[in-house]
Amino acid sequence: MSDKMDLKKSLKELYQVSAKAPVEIDVPALRYLMVDGEGDPNTAPAYAEAVEALFSVAYTAKFMVKKGPQAIDYGVMPLEALWWADDPAVFRSGDRSRWQWTAMILQPDFVGDDTIGQAIDDVRRKKSLPGVDRLRLDTLTEGRCAQILHVGPFSAEGPTIERLHAFIADRSALRGQHHEIYLSDIRRTDPAKWKTILRQPMD
């Protein structure tokens, strides 16, 4: 069997990002397991349920592919999330109770829809997780974006987001939803060292 496939390396322009300055990229259509919700991610049970369901199904699908005829071993991709609010002022002010979100994990092209469907059924049967019934498989097409790496706690993202938005304002205009990619295991890493990719679609 070949070595484990690292999708973050094969998609390095999307997942290996510098903290020095924003860069412009073109993001292709990508297929994700997704869960939609709203409310403060720190306190809303729905967010924790979504994350648990996403990783349970993603790992179940991974082991199905690894042990199946394809025999491909790959690393499960990191948690990502889209964030927005109906009232942009709410989003900027940090009133997280009124935030809306889509939590998601990228799925490789070689993991078929039938495999994902079976993984969802297996997790539903074995674990009875409340978030599983809210899962969906969908394609996200962001196209032209700017992104930068933020190092530190989520609460300190403001200045990095301002740099990202200023970069876009010099070239175009913001569109779409604020996108975050969580590269660190926050359960085991000092918050000062958390690494989060901040991505923003632009016109």
Side-chain angles (χ1 to χ4, degrees), residues 26-200:
D26 184 50
V27 182
L30 297 170
R31 190 162 142 269
Y32 288 91
L33 265 174
M34 297 178 165
V35 180
D36 303 315
E38 60 184 19
D40 187 339
N42 295 318
T43 58
Y47 188 78
E49 292 168 0
V51 172
E52 185 178 23
L54 284 168
F55 276 110
S56 294
V57 171
Y59 273 100
T60 298
K62 164 206 164 69
F63 287 114
M64 288 171 61
V65 172
K66 180 180 178 180
K67 296 175 182 178
Q70 292 171 285
I72 299 173
D73 189 12
Y74 64 95
V76 169
M77 293 295 279
L79 178 69
E80 308 187 27
L82 305 176
W83 301 96
W84 72 99
D86 291 333
D87 179 359
V90 168
F91 192 69
R92 291 192 297 268
S93 70
D95 181 3
R96 298 184 178 190
S97 65
R98 296 169 65 186
W99 285 8
Q100 299 183 56
W101 46 263
T102 297
M104 56 195 197
I105 296 178
L106 180 67
Q107 298 304 301
D109 291 339
F110 53 78
V111 180
D113 291 8
D114 54 342
T115 299
I116 295 294
Q118 184 178 340
I120 290 173
D121 289 342
D122 287 353
V123 170
R124 182 185 289 117
R125 184 178 67 254
K126 295 177 181 178
K127 297 188 176 183
S128 300
L129 300 180
V132 169
D133 291 332
R134 293 161 45 218
L135 276 171
R136 61 188 174 92
L137 187 63
D138 207 350
T139 299
L140 178 67
T141 305
E142 291 181 297
R144 187 186 186 198
C145 293
Q147 65 182 18
I148 189 172
L149 181 68
H150 171 73
V151 180
F154 305 138
S155 59
E157 285 181 358
T160 310
I161 293 174
E162 289 178 7
R163 290 173 63 200
L164 183 64
H165 288 184
F167 175 88
I168 294 172
D170 285 343
R171 292 159 178 79
S172 178
L174 276 67
R175 64 170 173 82
Q177 296 155 340
H178 177 75
H179 185 165
E180 298 192 351
I181 302 169
Y182 308 107
L183 301 179
S184 302
D185 183 344
I186 64 174
R187 299 167 299 177
R188 298 180 174 86
T189 308
D190 182 338
K193 298 180 180 179
W194 289 354
K195 294 181 178 180
T196 307
I197 297 172
L198 307 181
R199 180 181 298 163
Q200 177 65 54

